[in-house]
Amino acid sequence: MRFRGDLNKLEGKTVLMLGNEAVAWGALEGGIGVATAYPGTPSSEIVESLVDAARELGFWSEWAVNEKVAFEIAYSAAISGINALVAMKHVGMNVAADPLMSSAYTGVRGSLVIVTADDPSMWSSQNEQDNRYYGLHAYIPVFEPHSPSEAKELTKYLFDLSRRIGHPVILRMTTRISHTRGPVKLGKINVMEPKGKFIKEDRFVLIPANARRNRLEMLRRWEKIKEEIEHIPFNKVEGEGDALIVAPGIAYAYVKEVVRELGLEGRVRVLKLSSVVPVPRGLLLRALDGVKRVLVVEELEDIVEKEVKAVVAEESLGVEVKGKEIVGYPYELTLARVRKSIQAFLGHVPAEEVSKGGTVTGLPVRPPVLCPGCPYRPLFTEVRRLINQERLSVVAAGDIGCYSLGYNKPYRLQDIIIEMGGSIGTGIGLANFTDDVVISIIGDSTFFHAGLPPLANAVYMKSPLVVIVLDNMVTAMTGHQPSPSTKGVPGRRYIPIEEAAKGLGVRFVKVIDPFDMKEVRKTVLEAIKFARENSEPAVIVARRRCALEVVRDLRRAGVKVPPYIVLEDKCIACRLCYDFFACPAIFAKDDGKAYIDPELCVGCGACAQVCPTKAIVPAEKYDKDKVESFWR
Amino acid sequence: MARDEYYLMVAGVGGQGTVLLSRIIGDAALMKGYHVRIGETFGAAMRGGSVHSHIRIGKEVLSPLLLEDEADAVLAIEPLEGLRRAVVYLKPGGVAVINTRKIFPIDVNFGVARYPKIEEIIDAFNKLGATYVYGDFTELAEKAGTARATNVAVLGAYARLIEGTDAPFDKETLIEAVKGRVPSKWLEANLKAFESGYKLADEQLKK
């Protein structure tokens, strides 16, 4: 749902909500004053919703350039007495880890709710790190819901807990909760004005003498947290039996269904846990009372399992504890996996799997592709062509964004993708320690996220590196959130990337249109020459707006753009447009000639340049200048 | 609903309104007083990839994902995607609506992969033991005013397909749910698309 219109009117209603939206609503009920984030799947909808709500309700919510800055903004609000939320995807917490660790030392005065959206199975991420470890590492308690509805209740509660104990808290979501819809009953909105007062205290100055004192204070708060979680309604013991299944977070949803399905109610005990770091020891001991065997069903790492084993050993309970040896570590849990695990634990023989008729194999896969009209496509096509034609040995250091798709055929222009901003940092090493021509390819939002420090380093080190900033002027992949590279955000200042690069001392800075393939070729060759001859970095800013936004704006403005067509008699079936340019709107017909699907074509016209016989033309005449103005 | 739980799978390609259709169905289930969970898989949030939604309806459903062979119905907004999910999730004897308008994956454009013929796809649904209706729902939606109503045209056919079964919906509830989700500007076209889908299914089932 969109958080627009009179939100107060929704009180008391039950609506279908995404887990992330439920967190946002929980923040509204919990008294939010400041909310910020850097977008990243599967976390983006949380602050997306709060940005909308803030406009309606008068608190503050905005995107920050990266997770570290977002964290610092939320933290500073929280130590000024404001209730704050900061959200990030799991790997974003690595970026924010520095202030995260310190925040537990200083504590907070308002609330600081840190939301991490983990991505088991890596649906849209480079790893499946389990951020519950950050809680253990930083002395910050971690809470995990099993449903959208619980996500809302938990968020609201965490605002209260954080403020009462004066300590940051982590709400851990996962893709399967973030992107699940379920009914949520909406409660009363209770937001606060983003106005705080910073009271000077030694604890906020982490020089060693203060940090040492803070360390003791932090441990005292940790004891309070341990007490608190013994009595919260989000943890509970259900059922009776001499076998116990411990089910933290989403695992509870699966365990409960399997217990019901297999008719185990009343035969096994289930410990539902929503506070996973620390594990409530007293409750665990009560759950273990009279139990002979335990199965811990948890997603990813064995954090709760280790805790249960430790408690069983410390108390000499002699209870057998199973977990990962049955459930396994990698990838997200599924109902089928949990059922199999519970059956194995109980020694049940699973029903033989019946294979059904009509099983089909060999269906073509459908990976995501650059959209029709994507400004990156002509640039990728031309850079690949010049590399091939000039027989250059190039390493393309890649980055995180839509352009990660440049890894795929036919472009193959992302040889390394490890993390946000990694293209420039790894580019420095490659340019200095190998003989290859190194081209770093990074997006505009990613450039501001983590590209500035490595670019300064490249200038300082005089690295012979070519940096291409693909500037579509928005954070496109996660749903078009604004960034400093976005023009026309009300009340916010646009920062041209070329100015930032020049300011850092880059002496070769050129702004080009990625749709102009001749210019792309000329500029990239110049940049390679400059970088090698002068042993210093060259920056190319390839600027053109995201096609999805352009198409949307054209439609809103009522401007009709005709699709392009292939002139049958001129097409020589050379395959360049579909094999080499690879726009999803262009197909090979049976005779090898090209065909453009008018439904998919957005009329960008970029493919016309690729055609050696000028067989690709607009279906009808149109006002090119007017349409072009939307792309800039 | 005669049974305690009912499961659907909605499959399509990014940008086709798969998520919206699953929300409409979820709303309809809530209107009927059921509990519902929709598990969405849209990966890297980009267009053009395969998207499918798991919908579980019942008294109290917790897991967001379907088991294999569990879906009572598969709604295919795109034929290949519908088949891909039906092979895994459609239960024997389940129902399906298949939009025959193809969207080629990029490997098909290159000519390195072959898109199955519609007859092959239909045949595979036969082998799965499905009761189904099929047709060019995109064309119906275009005629109704916008190709973007393809998802709702598919829903219209589904409304006809489940008449007289133990599915937890009826035509009126589904229409109400469409009204609640579709922007007013596009509502007329969507309702028209719904009726066209319904009619197409009606004609096919009478044969």
Side-chain angles (χ1 to χ4, degrees):
Chain A
M1 63 170 267
R2 292 312 296 260
F3 281 46
R4 291 190 178 161
D6 187 356
L7 297 170
N8 287 304
K9 275 207 304 219
L10 294 173
E11 188 186 332
K13 293 217 162 85
T14 298
V15 300
L16 210 47
M17 261 188 167
L18 213 51
N20 281 347
E21 294 164 350
V23 171
W25 195 279
L28 299 184
E29 290 184 24
I32 186 88
V34 162
T36 183
Y38 182 77
T41 314
S43 72
S44 309
E45 296 86 357
I46 300 168
V47 164
E48 193 84 67
S49 301
L50 290 172
V51 165
D52 283 345
R55 271 189 221 115
E56 307 289 341
L57 301 168
F59 63 98
W60 185 92
S61 184
E62 203 172 314
W63 300 102
V65 295
N66 67 26
E67 293 85 357
K68 178 174 182 287
V69 176
F71 191 99
E72 289 156 349
I73 292 171
Y75 169 78
S76 60
I79 62 172
S80 304
I82 299 169
N83 298 328
L85 175 145
V86 57
M88 58 202 75
K89 69 180 289 174
H90 59 329
V91 288
M93 195 163 266
N94 304 335
V95 179
D98 212 345
L100 176 90
M101 299 299 293
S102 294
S103 69
Y105 271 66
T106 67
V108 291
R109 288 179 45 236
S111 318
L112 181 56
V113 177
I114 305 155
V115 188
T116 168
D118 293 11
D119 191 15
S121 285
M122 298 161 275
W123 295 106
S124 41
S125 306
Q126 63 267 43
N127 70 32
E128 60 173 1
Q129 68 185 49
D130 188 332
N131 276 4
R132 293 179 299 170
Y133 272 122
Y134 268 112
L136 283 173
H137 195 24
Y139 282 90
I140 299 178
V142 182
F143 297 81
E144 260 191 291
H146 79 279
S147 69
S149 164
E150 191 181 36
K152 192 212 77 172
E153 295 304 326
L154 207 46
T155 308
K156 181 184 177 185
Y157 160 73
L158 290 179
F159 273 91
D160 172 59
L161 172 72
S162 176
R163 181 177 269 274
R164 263 193 294 116
I165 302 203
H167 202 75
V169 296
I170 293 175
L171 175 69
R172 178 186 184 244
M173 301 286 284
T174 55
T175 305
R176 214 37 84 192
I177 300 287
S178 287
H179 288 172
T180 284
R181 277 176 213 280
V184 177
K185 188 161 190 227
L186 304 181
K188 191 172 172 50
I189 292 175
N190 170 36
V191 301
M192 75 186 282
E193 214 189 317
K195 195 87 195 150
K197 169 120 184 85
F198 180 71
I199 300 162
K200 294 176 188 179
E201 291 180 63
D202 291 339
R203 63 169 167 151
F204 296 121
V205 186
L206 287 183
I207 57 167
N210 295 343
R212 283 183 204 116
R213 258 197 321 271
N214 283 4
R215 168 86 166 125
L216 302 179
E217 275 305 313
M218 176 173 78
L219 291 172
R220 270 180 219 121
R221 286 196 298 271
W222 192 247
E223 288 306 313
K224 278 193 202 164
I225 289 161
K226 280 185 178 168
E227 271 167 43
E228 165 96 11
I229 57 164
E230 291 290 349
H231 309 291
I232 57 173
F234 305 102
N235 298 327
K236 61 182 175 193
V237 184
E238 290 177 344
E240 269 313 321
D242 62 3
L244 171 70
I245 301 174
V246 180
I250 181 110
Y252 174 72
Y254 300 126
V255 167
K256 186 152 186 197
E257 286 216 356
V258 172
V259 165
R260 199 161 57 196
E261 183 202 335
L262 300 179
L264 301 172
E265 283 151 322
R267 286 163 54 199
V268 295
R269 205 179 275 180
V270 175
L271 172 58
K272 170 193 183 302
L273 282 183
S274 290
S275 68
V276 289
V277 173
V279 169
R281 191 185 177 99
L283 183 67
L284 175 61
L285 283 171
R286 284 203 297 286
L288 284 166
D289 186 33
V291 160
K292 292 202 183 81
R293 293 181 307 150
V294 180
L295 175 68
V296 181
V297 180
E298 70 189 307
E299 208 162 58
L300 298 183
E301 309 310 326
D302 51 0
I303 292 169
V304 172
E305 181 184 337
K306 280 194 177 124
E307 193 59 32
V308 173
K309 282 178 173 163
V311 168
V312 164
E314 280 163 24
E315 304 283 337
S316 307
L317 295 178
V319 174
E320 184 188 26
V321 183
K322 301 266 187 198
K324 287 297 158 187
E325 60 189 285
I326 292 177
V327 181
Y329 288 89
Y331 315 138
E332 68 178 0
L333 295 177
T334 61
L335 197 51
R337 183 170 161 194
V338 171
R339 182 167 62 183
K340 227 172 166 176
S341 300
I342 292 177
Q343 282 173 328
F345 170 65
L346 296 175
H348 292 185
V349 183
E352 211 162 301
E353 285 178 27
V354 191
S355 86
K356 56 179 169 175
T359 297
V360 185
T361 52
L363 295 178
V365 294
R366 191 186 300 272
V369 287
L370 295 175
C371 305
C374 178
Y376 303 162
R377 177 174 290 104
L379 182 133
F380 278 149
T381 302
E382 192 52 49
V383 172
R384 173 43 59 202
R385 176 153 63 185
L386 87 84
I387 289 170
N388 292 356
Q389 289 176 346
E390 304 286 328
R391 295 177 194 279
L392 296 174
S393 178
V394 168
V395 176
D399 226 302
I400 309 242
C402 295
Y403 45 88
S404 298
L405 294 170
Y407 163 71
N408 295 329
K409 280 192 278 193
Y411 320 115
R412 312 281 346 200
L413 279 170
Q414 298 273 293
D415 298 319
I416 302 167
I417 299 175
I418 55 167
E419 33 98 45
M420 291 286 287
S423 60
I424 302 179
T426 59
I428 294 171
L430 292 162
N432 280 271
F433 310 130
T434 74
D435 292 328
D436 290 317
V437 172
V438 180
I439 303 179
S440 299
I441 297 175
I442 185 170
D444 49 311
S445 184
T446 308
F447 178 79
F448 282 113
H449 178 285
L452 288 166
L455 186 58
N457 212 126
V459 172
Y460 173 66
M461 268 179 74
K462 294 177 71 56
S463 287
L465 175 68
V466 175
V467 179
I468 300 177
V469 185
L470 294 169
D471 183 7
N472 63 7
M473 309 174 77
V474 78
T475 317
M477 186 166 67
T478 48
H480 302 106
Q481 294 83 2
S483 120
S485 56
T486 309
K487 280 184 189 164
V489 181
R492 295 292 172 263
R493 188 155 151 199
Y494 165 65
I495 308 175
I497 287 166
E498 60 275 22
E499 298 302 326
K502 283 180 203 161
L504 286 176
V506 181
R507 284 189 288 192
F508 182 107
V509 180
K510 296 222 164 148
V511 181
I512 61 168
D513 175 8
F515 265 32
D516 185 340
M517 294 170 77
K518 281 199 183 113
E519 196 187 14
V520 169
R521 185 185 189 88
K522 186 172 146 270
T523 314
V524 172
L525 285 171
E526 268 174 33
I528 292 172
K529 194 162 170 262
F530 175 88
R532 299 227 121 187
E533 282 178 1
N534 299 286
S535 184
E536 60 181 77
V539 171
I540 299 168
V541 181
R543 180 172 300 137
R544 187 170 268 262
R545 291 182 69 209
C546 170
L548 291 180
E549 287 203 306
V550 173
V551 169
R552 179 202 64 198
D553 290 352
L554 285 164
R555 194 176 57 230
R556 281 186 188 161
V559 180
K560 284 254 189 309
V561 186
Y564 277 60
I565 54 168
V566 179
L567 300 173
E568 184 76 43
D569 51 335
K570 279 197 175 179
C571 177
I572 55 168
C574 70
R575 311 179 64 96
L576 273 179
C577 60
Y578 50 83
D579 272 4
F580 205 63
F581 187 69
C583 174
I586 310 178
F587 301 87
K589 290 193 296 183
D590 289 343
D591 60 2
K593 290 191 179 187
Y595 167 75
I596 299 176
D597 183 337
E599 288 298 315
L600 297 175
C601 177
V602 299
C604 77
C607 55
Q609 299 172 75
V610 183
C611 181
T613 62
K614 299 200 163 40
I616 301 178
V617 296
E620 55 197 77
K621 279 208 157 144
Y622 68 104
D623 186 345
K624 274 193 185 166
D625 290 341
K626 185 171 185 188
V627 172
E628 184 59 21
S629 68
F630 283 81
W631 285 92
R632 298 292 180 163
Chain B
M1 172 163 73
R3 298 192 343 262
D4 284 348
E5 300 203 340
Y6 185 89
Y7 308 121
L8 287 104
M9 168 72 64
V10 182
V13 172
Q16 280 196 310
T18 309
V19 171
L20 179 65
L21 180 54
S22 66
R23 290 168 72 177
I24 290 170
I25 293 168
D27 283 347
L30 283 189
M31 286 176 196
K32 284 285 186 183
Y34 292 106
H35 194 250
V36 65
R37 273 275 182 283
I38 306 175
E40 290 173 2
T41 55
F42 42 78
M46 279 176 286
R47 277 166 69 110
S50 109
V51 179
H52 60 291
S53 287
H54 300 236
I55 308 176
R56 306 182 85 235
I57 297 163
K59 287 195 185 86
E60 191 199 11
V61 282
L62 294 163
S63 160
L65 297 182
L66 302 191
L67 288 167
E68 291 186 8
D69 296 349
E70 193 177 56
D72 295 277
V74 167
L75 305 188
I77 312 179
E78 202 279 343
L80 173 63
E81 292 314 310
L83 178 58
R84 197 192 307 284
R85 303 306 161 193
V87 166
V88 179
Y89 293 105
L90 188 63
K91 71 174 192 189
V95 303
V97 181
I98 307 152
N99 180 22
T100 54
R101 183 72 71 91
K102 300 171 184 175
I103 297 179
F104 288 161
I106 196 85
D107 282 357
V108 173
N109 297 31
F110 295 164
V112 300
R114 191 184 72 90
Y115 195 106
K117 290 190 181 121
I118 288 298
E119 302 83 74
E120 294 173 276
I121 291 177
I122 300 297
D123 187 48
F125 274 94
N126 278 327
K127 287 188 178 137
L128 290 169
T131 305
Y132 58 84
V133 293
Y134 67 98
D136 189 339
F137 291 93
T138 308
E139 192 187 343
L140 295 183
E142 280 163 354
K143 281 185 184 154
T146 171
R148 292 156 76 103
T150 304
N151 52 357
V152 171
V154 167
L155 185 67
Y158 171 71
R160 175 64 187 86
L161 197 51
I162 55 170
E163 277 177 8
T165 72
D166 60 2
F169 308 110
D170 50 58
K171 188 180 174 188
E172 288 66 36
T173 316
L174 291 172
I175 289 175
E176 276 313 301
V178 169
K179 286 180 183 166
R181 283 283 178 197
V182 173
S184 53
K185 199 169 95 182
W186 296 109
L187 187 57
E188 201 189 316
N190 273 275
L191 293 177
K192 234 167 127 184
F194 185 99
E195 286 301 335
S196 311
Y198 183 90
K199 218 173 118 213
L200 182 143
D202 190 52
E203 283 159 10
Q204 255 179 46
L205 291 170
K206 278 180 183 156
K207 271 182 201 166

